[in-house]
Amino acid sequence: MIKDQSIEGSFEEGKCVSISEKSLLFDSYGRNLYYLRLSITDRCQFSCSYCRSGETTFLPKEELLTYEEIERLIVLFKELGTKKVRITGGEPLVRKDVDKLISDIHLFGLKTSLTTNGFLLKTFLPRIKGTLDSINVSLDSVRPGTFEKVSGMPGPVVKVVMNSIKYSKEIGIPTKVNTVVIRENFSEINELIDFSKSLSVPIRFIEYMPSEREDNSISFDILKEKIERTRGLSKIDERFGDGPAQYYITGDNAVVGFIAYNQPHFCDKCNRLRITPDGKMRLCLVLGGEIDLKKMLREGMPDKEIKEKIIDFVKLKPFSHGNYKFINKKMNSIGG
């Protein structure tokens, strides 16, 4: 079990906790919200245009959930019925000793996944490969110039990310590529598919969620038409993970997924809850509304009362985000 009092704290291993499998995480529409997206930091080396472009003030270390607090919450959510935890950021691999946190979450018997920008992944994989059930790696371009424009990192870094994806696949971890589709990378959609196909990994195209400041999105109807025209596209029932992607296969046998936030299936089968780096629990990525779990922990609220608060809050999850068009916070502060 990890213990820390800050992001730089000391850590201790302990024994696993035996936890009930009964689920109490059903919303008022009967959806089982068994999938927890846990953001452990808002920091990232990249400054992607769709995530945290412009001036960004990161949370002070003392505002982040400590690893001890995270593990206490993981136990509570497991007792309530959580079956899968996806560790996100920011970029989760920038946080000190994240490999030990991943290991402990895995020891709780939960399906454990990671979403990363891939920059540090190859270095971490030898330490975490036995404790991860799957990895999603963000890759928004295979061209150095476009990569630099979108990510804010030097163009050659794209090769580091691509090599991390290759290595993850080589050592046997189920791996997917995530691409947010925006105007800058629309011309290289087929190059991105070619790269993923060469490794036999699925690629998921994610619809850009515009902010009130800008809209750099590409219609998914146009995206699908382009792929269908150039490669062919047939829907398949197979699922690759627990998320909202709908999957297709191209005429040359590449697996392509689409995650479109304005389509009905994005919401009607939602199974996700979210915890932000500063310990807020959110019911929806797009809509506001949250409860402060960190405050409950630090004020000494008993576990039973915290679980009651979570159960009551889950019942308030909206059926969908409706016609709301804009994300109300930077993605790195929520976990995407």
Side-chain angles (χ1 to χ4, degrees):
M1 195 84 68
I2 293 176
K3 271 191 177 182
D4 76 352
Q5 297 304 316
S6 75
I7 196 169
E8 304 292 343
S10 60
F11 303 91
E12 298 175 1
E13 303 254 2
K15 55 186 178 182
C16 183
V17 180
S18 177
I19 303 170
S20 166
E21 294 295 329
K22 183 179 179 182
S23 180
L24 298 173
L25 297 174
F26 283 89
D27 68 11
S28 60
Y29 301 96
R31 294 175 294 194
N32 184 4
L33 308 174
Y34 64 85
Y35 179 6
L36 181 65
R37 295 183 63 95
L38 171 66
S39 178
I40 65 171
T41 181
D42 60 343
R43 294 176 182 269
C44 184
Q45 315 96 319
F46 293 17
S47 55
C48 297
S49 58
Y50 54 81
C51 182
R52 68 169 190 90
S53 61
E55 292 295 321
T56 299
T57 301
F58 295 118
L59 290 165
K61 293 177 183 178
E62 62 270 16
E63 291 300 316
L64 296 176
L65 285 170
T66 67
Y67 283 168
E68 186 176 26
E69 290 167 338
I70 288 172
E71 292 195 355
R72 182 179 169 194
L73 288 175
I74 291 295
V75 170
L76 298 184
F77 273 91
K78 173 91 187 252
E79 289 173 346
L80 292 173
T82 292
K83 299 184 183 304
K84 175 177 179 177
V85 175
R86 177 168 295 280
I87 299 165
T88 71
E91 169 49 44
L93 297 184
V94 302
R95 185 152 177 186
K96 184 177 174 63
D97 289 316
V98 65
D99 53 317
K100 295 180 181 177
L101 175 67
I102 292 171
S103 176
D104 277 354
I105 293 174
H106 186 75
L107 285 173
F108 291 145
L110 290 162
K111 187 176 180 182
T112 310
S113 300
L114 174 74
T115 294
T116 173
N117 62 31
F119 184 56
L120 297 175
L121 181 60
K122 192 170 182 179
T123 301
F124 269 86
L125 279 172
R127 285 181 269 166
I128 61 178
K129 65 179 182 179
T131 57
L132 278 174
D133 294 287
S134 66
I135 296 176
N136 292 350
V137 184
S138 298
L139 180 68
D140 296 314
S141 174
V142 293
R143 301 175 189 170
T146 308
F147 182 87
E148 183 167 338
K149 184 175 182 181
V150 174
S151 71
M153 293 287 280
V157 169
V158 70
K159 294 298 183 183
V160 177
V161 176
M162 294 168 73
N163 286 334
S164 289
I165 297 168
K166 291 178 184 177
Y167 184 57
S168 178
K169 171 70 176 180
E170 286 172 2
I171 65 175
I173 302 176
T175 305
K176 296 187 289 289
V177 172
N178 286 346
T179 299
V180 176
V181 182
I182 51 180
R183 292 172 189 171
E184 285 85 352
N185 62 13
F186 182 65
S187 65
E188 58 184 288
I189 292 302
N190 279 310
E191 293 172 60
L192 285 155
I193 295 175
D194 287 340
F195 170 72
S196 299
K197 178 177 176 288
S198 72
L199 301 178
S200 298
V201 301
I203 183 169
R204 288 111 55 84
F205 292 115
I206 301 171
E207 184 178 19
Y208 170 68
M209 286 188 173
S211 70
E212 294 180 294
R213 293 175 287 109
E214 61 178 343
D215 183 354
N216 198 23
S217 60
I218 293 289
S219 162
F220 261 39
D221 290 335
I222 293 174
L223 173 65
K224 285 183 178 179
E225 189 279 329
K226 176 176 182 173
I227 298 172
E228 187 165 19
R229 173 170 41 83
T230 56
R231 314 181 78 109
L233 204 58
S234 301
K235 196 171 187 307
I236 56 177
D237 293 328
E238 189 171 358
R239 290 174 60 83
F240 299 85
D242 299 276
Q246 291 188 328
Y247 287 96
Y248 293 74
I249 191 164
T250 65
D252 57 346
N253 293 316
V255 176
V256 177
F258 297 94
I259 300 177
Y261 84 97
N262 64 353
Q263 297 298 312
H265 72 272
F266 186 82
C267 292
D268 62 11
K269 296 180 181 178
C270 186
N271 55 11
R272 297 173 298 287
L273 296 171
R274 301 171 186 276
I275 297 179
T276 64
D278 57 346
K280 307 295 196 308
M281 175 182 167
R282 292 176 64 95
L283 301 174
C284 179
L285 176 61
V286 180
L287 298 178
E290 54 192 29
I291 57 171
D292 194 339
L293 297 178
K294 182 182 70 182
K295 183 178 180 182
M296 297 178 198
L297 294 174
R298 294 187 181 179
E299 290 183 351
M301 184 177 290
D303 289 353
K304 183 175 182 293
E305 291 184 27
I306 295 175
K307 289 195 287 187
E308 289 171 353
K309 296 283 188 185
I310 292 170
I311 292 168
D312 290 343
F313 189 52
V314 162
K315 295 292 190 294
L316 300 178
K317 184 176 175 73
F319 183 72
S320 76
H321 52 66
N323 294 321
Y324 195 82
K325 296 180 180 179
F326 301 111
I327 190 73
N328 62 359
K329 287 188 176 183
K330 289 186 176 182
M331 285 288 190
N332 67 299
S333 69
I334 302 173

